[in-house]
Amino acid sequence: MLHINDITYRIGPRLLIDHATVALAAGTKTGLVGKNGAGKSTLFKLVTGEIQGESGTISVPRNWRIGQVAQEAPSGEESLVSVVLAADTEHAALMAEAETATDPHRIADIQTRLADIDAHSAEARAASILAGLGFDTAAQAGPCSALSGGWRMRVALAAVLFAEPDLLLLDEPTNYLDLEGTLWLESYIARYPHSVLLISHDRDLLNKAVDGIVHLSDGKLTYYRGGYDQFDRQRRERQALQIKLKRKQDEQRAHMQAFVDRFRFTASKARRARSGLRARAGLEPGAAVADESVLPFVFPAPLKVYAPPIVAMENVSVGYAPDKPVLSKLNLRIDDDDRIGLLGANGNGKSTFAKLIAGRLAPLSGTVKRPHSLEVAYFAQHQLDELNPAHSAYDHIRERLPDETEARVRARTGALGFTAGKMDTPARDLSGGEKARLLLGLATFKGANLLILDEPTNHLDIDSREALIQALADYAGAVIIISHDRHLLEASVDRLWLVADGTAKTFDGDIEDYRRQVLEGPGTSGSKKAPAASAGSAQDRRKAAADARAQTAPLRKKIKETESLMEKLQKQIQAADGRLADPALYAKDPSKVTAETKARADLVRALAQAEEDWLALSAELEAAMADGG
């Protein structure tokens, strides 16, 4: 059992952990959650003894081995398999001693112990773990020095998994994994034979791999049984008991009214919001709503709308050398309201494909057709380094609005989610999540037609990820997402493209089909015929969705015309209000007051009728899309 008893820890004057207590039984898999900066990584250091609390105790059974991913990734000339095998120090020591031992009794003891720890299968187990994390046979035999930093961290992860400590501590292990590696790790942790304590912002990982959640909030530790969704529901139930229910209900009604007021004239946004909610229908009502302290993401609507497709590829090849294309035979199209998730292991060309679509990489052959003035917003993690470290969020916005007033620049900075206390903080002092928020705001600053997100969630906590999902649901343009976050993909996309075998093409299935393919191999599942049936049904759904989009084009046109009429009527009502508010009107010609009042009433009635028409048309569109989806 891991027993954290009345532990207290401060960083300077800040009380980070305040008399916190929790007990975790042996063999349990537990997720440790809390907002960024709450002290989760600090708690890990307390558990390992790297730092000491000012009071309290942390205890584990005396013979337990505690393991975590090495802070420094391996970088020597040893092969990957050798590095992983060396992580089991007992196995390595016994194997070395077996080479030199001469005493028959000691030799017998060594061989008995090697049999006990299943040493004969050690190399096969190491290779299996490395394969699950994305290393093929050739890579496993190669040196660590040939790998990039992210891939070396995978080797470090493989090493600690192979060592099988009694208490495995994992701090955001998916940050350097792709979706395929994340799916494999999810399955591995669920089967792990010892205790696991896992820090993660990956909601699906916390739902699938753990059987309990420890929440670190306000310096306290609270244990919840079950996965993240169960924790979220139980936490909100506790909150409902701790605060006045009426106040919460009033706040929720105000939130919903603000939503209606904001999007009542924008059918595409309203539909996207509902679509996002449908995608998360498996969650309890309200479970996916971000905490009130999390500011929303806001992506401006496209300034100009183009007829679909907005991007069309015909027999395109792309790469970095004319004679070595990374991808070829690309024949795909992107419509103005598409939501596309890119699947495929790291190294298969997903980022290359994203750069092609974004116009940052020219095709080697074939044609890519797009409107000349199509606005594409592109976000990738490496761009975080492109922020000027000395410039604040306000400075970055000021560069884009050189002629605007101070008030307007600060208002625009605030709209990105930066409070008055944060908008003047230099970028070098912002957290990873705040940098990502700033970069997303800068990328979408002009109102993009197409938003490309390459691993957008690495520095976001769970509530911020939910805020991102909501923003994508509200966004009126097309979206392409590369992410290891399965929950983000399931909640935000309705089409999947697989980048593999030197090309990209439609994946005929859903995320669950892809998960089975990753874990069990292409064409395999619980039964041999199940994937084909699933793929066929998925293909039928996608064809029906495409047909529905085409069939609803006239309906969409009517909705846009009605929206324009409502905006026109609103402006006319505002002008009438201005005239009626002028005292001179009543003094000069009282008869005009009656006429103006009647005219305004007519405008109000016309607006009410237009609103009813818009609601009816929107409902008809929603029903058509539901039937088509």
Side-chain angles (χ1 to χ4, degrees), residues 88-170:
D88 188 339
T89 54
E90 181 186 14
H91 171 267
L94 288 171
M95 292 298 291
E97 188 179 356
E99 295 291 328
T100 59
T102 57
D103 177 52
H105 295 290
R106 180 56 185 160
I107 293 173
D109 289 343
I110 291 172
Q111 295 303 320
T112 299
R113 182 56 182 162
L114 286 172
D116 289 342
I117 63 175
D118 200 17
H120 70 280
S121 66
E123 190 163 340
R125 287 192 294 113
S128 175
I129 292 172
L130 285 166
L133 293 175
F135 297 99
D136 59 23
T137 303
Q140 293 178 26
C144 288
S145 59
L147 302 175
S148 66
W151 286 96
R152 291 177 188 176
M153 289 306 298
R154 292 195 190 201
V155 178
L157 175 60
V160 72
L161 294 179
F162 174 77
E164 285 195 357
D166 300 285
L167 174 58
L168 174 62
L169 304 178
L170 295 176

Side-chain angles (χ1 to χ4, degrees), residues 304-579:
K304 184 177 180 181
V305 178
Y306 296 95
I310 56 174
V311 178
M313 289 164 273
E314 296 179 3
N315 201 29
V316 169
S317 65
V318 63
Y320 305 94
D323 57 339
K324 293 182 179 179
V326 176
L327 301 171
S328 57
K329 299 180 182 178
L330 300 176
N331 294 282
L332 297 163
R333 62 177 276 165
I334 302 171
D335 289 346
D336 61 326
D337 61 349
D338 270 340
R339 296 293 198 269
I340 300 168
L342 293 187
L343 306 176
N346 279 357
N348 280 5
K350 297 192 300 293
S351 293
T352 299
F353 185 61
K355 291 175 183 176
L356 169 71
I357 299 171
R360 298 190 173 206
L361 195 59
L364 298 176
S365 63
T367 58
V368 178
K369 298 179 180 178
R370 72 183 85 206
H372 177 71
S373 57
L374 185 76
E375 189 69 35
V376 179
Y378 179 67
F379 172 92
Q381 284 296 327
H382 65 81
Q383 291 174 316
L384 295 178
D385 297 329
E386 297 176 7
L387 293 172
N388 188 322
H391 283 192
S392 65
Y394 168 84
D395 295 329
H396 282 91
I397 301 301
R398 167 57 75 187
E399 291 173 356
R400 287 159 175 76
L401 299 173
D403 300 322
E404 289 290 355
T405 64
E406 175 84 0
R408 287 183 65 88
V409 174
R410 290 199 173 275
R412 189 66 185 270
T413 308
L416 299 186
F418 288 89
T419 62
K422 277 290 186 180
M423 62 177 61
D424 291 315
T425 302
R428 62 173 170 265
D429 297 328
L430 295 175
S431 68
E434 289 164 342
K435 290 178 182 177
R437 178 180 287 276
L438 175 56
L439 194 59
L440 277 167
L442 296 176
T444 59
F445 194 78
K446 295 181 181 179
N449 302 94
L450 172 61
L451 176 55
I452 302 173
L453 302 178
D454 192 345
E455 294 293 356
T457 62
N458 276 3
H459 297 285
L460 302 181
D461 60 27
I462 292 181
D463 291 327
S464 295
R465 294 182 187 204
E466 294 298 338
L468 176 61
I469 288 171
Q470 184 61 55
L472 292 174
D474 297 341
Y475 175 59
V479 177
I480 294 177
I481 300 176
I482 302 170
S483 180
H484 65 262
D485 189 325
R486 177 175 167 183
H487 177 64
L488 173 67
L489 291 173
E490 289 180 326
S492 303
V493 308
D494 50 29
R495 299 179 63 193
L496 297 172
W497 289 354
L498 177 60
V499 181
D501 302 322
T503 191
K505 56 186 178 181
T506 298
F507 179 76
D508 292 329
D510 56 22
I511 294 291
E512 185 58 30
D513 294 321
Y514 187 64
R515 176 181 178 275
R516 285 196 295 268
Q517 178 173 308
V518 168
L519 298 181
E520 303 174 19
T524 62
S525 182
S527 71
K528 293 291 183 180
K529 295 183 180 180
S534 176
S537 62
Q539 188 173 16
D540 291 342
R541 289 196 301 270
R542 302 198 191 291
K543 182 178 183 302
D547 291 342
R549 282 196 294 272
Q551 293 171 1
T552 56
L555 192 55
R556 294 170 189 270
K557 183 178 179 182
K558 290 181 181 178
I559 289 173
K560 289 181 179 179
E561 290 174 350
T562 307
E563 289 170 358
S564 297
L565 174 60
M566 287 189 292
E567 290 174 2
K568 179 181 178 181
L569 290 169
Q570 275 199 320
K571 290 178 181 178
Q572 291 176 345
I573 290 171
Q574 290 172 357
D577 287 340
R579 291 191 296 272

